[in-house]
Amino acid sequence: MLEPTLKVEGIRVAYGKKEILQGVDFELAEGETLCLLGANGSGKSTAMNAISGFVGCKAGTIKLEGQEIQNLPAHKSFALGMVQVSQSRDLFPQLSVEDNLKLGAHVRSRDTAKSELERVYGYFPRLRERRTQRVMTLSGGEQQMVAIGRAVMARPRVLLLDEPSGGLSPQFVNEIGTIISALKEDGATMLMIEQNLGLAFKVADRFIILRDGVVVDGGTVADYADDHEQIVRAIYL
Amino acid sequence: MNTNPSMERKSWKASRRLFYVVPLAAMFIPLVANDYLQFMVNIMMVYVLVTVGFNLVIGNLGQLAFANTAFFGIGAYTTAILMSHLGFTYDIALVSAAVVGGLAGLLASITALRGIRLYYLAIITMAFGELMRWVYIHADKITHGTDGLPLYNISVFGMSMHSDTAKFYVFLLITVLVVKGVSNLLRSRVGRAIIAIRDNEMTTASLGISTSNYIILTFVMSGSIVGIAGAMFAATTERVFPESFGLTEVIVHFAMVMVGGSGSLIGSVIGGAVLTILPEYFRQFPGMSELFFGGIIITILLFLPKGLASLLAKLSPVFHDRYYRD
């Protein structure tokens, strides 16, 4: 059997004495998109931050293509190909769109960065139009595009998307959905957190539901395509 | 800011032309300037480099480090000591001042690397400057203490540099090279990383970028540039005194950065030049000069909080620095 690209086994994460994740397990195969669902405070973002190295694990293992990466600092996880687009986007507001994008491939060669930039502009033609514009002057949806584009510049092994539709207008949610689908078609392996079930089910292959720091349910999107209500019940009730 | 790529290219070409036209025009200054004006233009170039170096750390890297007078004094005293005691020529002493200034920058960067930030960093780096001043005063066998250390036989490549005109051409060449070098650096991937650290150090690190290396590099470059300015200052005054590198000097350097525009290279050039000339102009009003000088600084910062560079940027995109803080 093929080794999963990402394998999370029994991870436990605590903030002080409060244990947020109490033994979470899941796997992500090459080219697959998995969606983490759950109510606020269920541990979705904590799980993602533990995978990308922004928070440490008390116990458990996280393997990227067989290599243990739990408790590696974020920049080392990034170098291995674990690239996160956080909820707050973490852009550089004073820099132009192109500078922000190039920073995603800063540690790669100049030629690679150039070809990656063209690839990103292929996904986001709107960003090419705005390439010299400072990020602080963009709309929320365009900023989200820059954040995703910057992550794509790094050619991630696993792309982690924390609520890509957060705070966006329906038009931008559609656009972001189309872009994520295009990335998926090109073989990207993605783990995403998404409250917008419409978007989640448009792009994800599988989902798992977290409640109080443990995985309580999961399945393939195709099985629940016509029954979103059952998933909502599983998340909130 | 313009967003049209072709317009951006045009303004970039125009600013490049401007970069060469201004120094070319400046070459004719000795033909029209008297001795006093020539001396002031030379001092102006010294402070332009002081501001360029300081702005790298304050405005571009975003670190509130005030080791500038330490770098300035170290550059000046390195030059004076090497020339007076060891008989070095000015050209070698100047290069040495750049190297020793860079080493001082490396030393100053340790504070920032240890996670010391904001006011704590400001106080520690200011104390570094004061410590160096104490050394200049008390190591009198080498520095001649408060009597000052003289420089003799200033020459470059065997040519005498005693006249202010000769100094002017050497200084103009150095200033153009340094400003062009910093301009290129800020437009490169190194510059991009430096600005990214200023905007969000944590995120920059999370992108796999070694923030420590860039922080060290910026401090070293700043120390080196201000060290060169110190060497130029020593050659201009021909005697180096400890009082030239006190706390008041830190405030003047900081004012030059802020009046010109924090994070703006054009602003550094303007800030350094304007705040060198203004006090001289106000000397004709004895007893009132400080009042006028302070009043002008307050007025500029009140109406142009982003410095004189922001006014120029409004007038023409040619003057808009790519990494200037909006």
Side-chain angles (χ1 to χ4, degrees):
Chain A
M1 190 183 153
L2 274 176
E3 174 95 29
T5 303
L6 177 69
K7 189 170 185 177
V8 175
E9 282 182 303
I11 58 164
R12 290 176 173 273
V13 175
Y15 295 131
K17 284 182 181 168
K18 185 161 173 58
E19 199 166 61
I20 307 294
L21 298 184
Q22 303 174 29
V24 169
D25 305 85
F26 62 85
E27 291 181 2
L28 183 61
E30 171 90 46
E32 189 183 29
T33 300
L34 175 68
C35 191
L36 293 184
L37 300 175
N40 287 338
S42 59
K44 306 182 300 290
S45 290
T46 302
M48 192 167 268
N49 287 335
I51 292 166
S52 56
F54 284 105
V55 296
C57 301
K58 262 172 63 181
T61 57
I62 302 168
K63 286 182 183 168
L64 177 65
E65 293 172 333
Q67 183 181 356
E68 287 197 15
I69 60 161
Q70 72 277 3
N71 296 325
L72 274 186
H75 69 276
K76 288 196 175 162
S77 294
F78 179 93
L80 292 172
M82 194 63 83
V83 181
Q84 181 175 356
V85 178
S86 74
Q87 222 171 330
S88 56
R89 296 171 195 142
D90 289 334
L91 296 169
F92 302 101
Q94 301 283 342
L95 295 184
S96 68
V97 167
E98 192 154 300
D99 282 331
N100 268 273
L101 293 175
K102 282 179 175 173
L103 281 163
H106 190 84
V107 293
R108 310 178 74 192
S109 76
R110 218 175 288 253
D111 288 343
T112 314
K114 208 174 168 184
S115 63
E116 290 300 333
L117 190 64
E118 281 309 307
R119 193 167 72 94
V120 167
Y121 283 148
Y123 287 120
F124 305 94
R126 191 194 284 255
L127 296 187
R128 192 194 293 274
E129 290 164 23
R130 306 240 188 282
R131 67 180 193 87
T132 61
Q133 201 169 325
R134 280 172 203 237
V135 159
M136 64 194 284
T137 63
L138 300 180
S139 69
E142 289 166 339
Q143 288 188 7
Q144 185 64 282
M145 289 180 184
V146 177
I148 296 173
R150 189 179 69 189
V152 172
M153 287 286 292
R155 275 255 175 206
R157 292 298 303 122
V158 179
L159 179 58
L160 308 169
L161 301 169
D162 192 350
E163 294 214 29
S165 76
L168 301 186
S169 66
Q171 182 212 333
F172 271 116
V173 172
N174 271 339
E175 255 185 80
I176 294 286
T178 307
I179 289 158
I180 296 173
S181 299
L183 288 169
K184 187 173 146 66
E185 271 174 36
D186 291 344
T189 306
M190 290 182 279
L191 175 67
M192 65 188 282
I193 293 172
E194 189 49 67
Q195 300 275 14
N196 181 329
L197 285 185
L199 175 65
F201 277 33
K202 179 179 169 188
V203 296
D205 300 302
R206 274 193 310 125
F207 68 94
I208 55 171
I209 296 172
L210 283 177
R211 192 187 297 151
D212 298 330
V214 290
V215 178
V216 293
D217 207 347
T220 60
V221 167
D223 292 345
Y224 292 85
D226 301 321
D227 195 4
H228 290 187
E229 240 179 68
Q230 195 184 331
I231 294 172
V232 174
R233 274 198 300 276
I235 295 171
Y236 295 105
L237 302 176
Chain B
M1 175 184 183
N2 70 75
T3 55
N4 182 332
S6 72
M7 207 174 139
E8 190 202 29
R9 268 195 301 278
K10 273 183 198 161
S11 72
W12 166 233
K13 277 183 187 165
S15 68
R16 250 191 3 189
R17 272 198 296 274
L18 193 73
F19 182 86
Y20 293 110
V21 166
V22 171
L24 278 174
M27 285 178 75
F28 296 100
I29 288 175
L31 300 178
V32 291
N34 58 28
D35 288 350
Y36 169 70
L37 187 62
Q38 189 62 69
F39 174 81
M40 283 316 301
V41 171
N42 290 356
I43 282 285
M44 205 171 77
M45 285 191 279
V46 170
Y47 280 101
V48 163
L49 288 198
V50 161
T51 317
V52 167
F54 198 18
N55 213 346
L56 269 179
V57 167
I58 294 263
N60 296 119
L61 186 66
Q63 300 293 323
L64 212 54
F66 288 90
N68 220 48
T69 43
F71 303 154
F72 194 38
I74 286 168
Y77 270 99
T78 301
T79 309
I81 290 167
L82 290 179
M83 289 179 70
S84 294
H85 294 300
L86 301 173
F88 280 46
T89 55
Y90 182 68
D91 37 25
I92 296 178
L94 187 133
V95 173
S96 307
V99 173
V100 178
L103 289 174
L106 179 69
L107 190 68
S109 73
I110 294 170
T111 48
L113 291 180
R114 289 179 64 84
I116 297 164
R117 291 287 184 275
L118 298 171
Y119 313 114
Y120 303 99
L121 182 62
I123 294 292
I124 288 174
T125 45
M126 260 193 254
F128 177 39
E130 281 302 283
L131 180 76
M132 289 313 299
R133 199 166 67 93
W134 186 90
V135 172
Y136 309 144
I137 294 170
H138 292 92
D140 49 359
K141 280 189 181 149
I142 302 170
T143 62
H144 296 191
T146 50
D147 292 340
L149 187 59
L151 280 80
Y152 305 106
N153 303 323
I154 305 171
S155 64
V156 280
F157 306 120
M159 288 179 287
S160 171
M161 234 181 90
H162 266 294
S163 77
D164 283 329
T165 307
K167 283 173 195 162
F168 168 78
Y169 285 113
V170 174
F171 289 2
L172 183 65
L173 178 68
I174 295 170
T175 307
V176 168
L177 288 177
V178 171
V179 173
K180 182 68 182 158
V182 172
S183 168
N184 288 351
L185 176 108
L186 288 176
R187 287 178 174 275
S188 72
R189 61 206 299 274
V190 175
R192 194 183 304 129
I194 291 170
I195 308 297
I197 292 169
R198 176 189 77 188
D199 279 4
N200 194 334
E201 192 175 340
M202 281 274 286
T203 303
T204 309
S206 75
L207 292 172
I209 298 168
S210 169
T211 53
S212 309
N213 287 354
Y214 286 107
I215 288 172
I216 293 172
L217 180 71
T218 312
F219 270 90
V220 169
M221 284 187 304
S222 173
S224 203
I225 292 168
V226 182
I228 291 171
M232 287 160 61
F233 182 72
T236 311
T237 56
E238 297 189 6
R239 186 178 279 267
V240 184
F241 295 96
E243 301 89 77
S244 307
F245 312 105
L247 273 178
T248 317
E249 193 73 5
V250 182
I251 296 164
V252 172
H253 295 184
F254 190 49
M256 285 171 170
V257 169
M258 298 313 289
V259 165
S262 170
S264 161
L265 182 58
I266 298 167
S268 298
V269 176
I270 298 168
V274 167
L275 290 201
T276 307
I277 295 298
L278 271 186
E280 283 302 310
Y281 177 74
F282 288 132
R283 267 176 199 253
Q284 59 186 301
F285 310 107
M288 299 292 279
S289 60
E290 288 86 356
L291 187 72
F292 286 152
F293 184 59
I296 290 262
I297 291 179
I298 291 169
T299 309
I300 290 174
L301 292 180
L302 211 57
F303 292 101
L304 296 166
K306 281 142 194 172
L308 291 168
S310 66
L311 183 67
L312 284 179
K314 273 182 205 155
L315 295 175
S316 165
V318 172
F319 296 105
H320 202 295
D321 283 76
R322 188 174 171 199
Y323 291 135
Y324 174 62
R325 262 188 226 243
D326 266 335

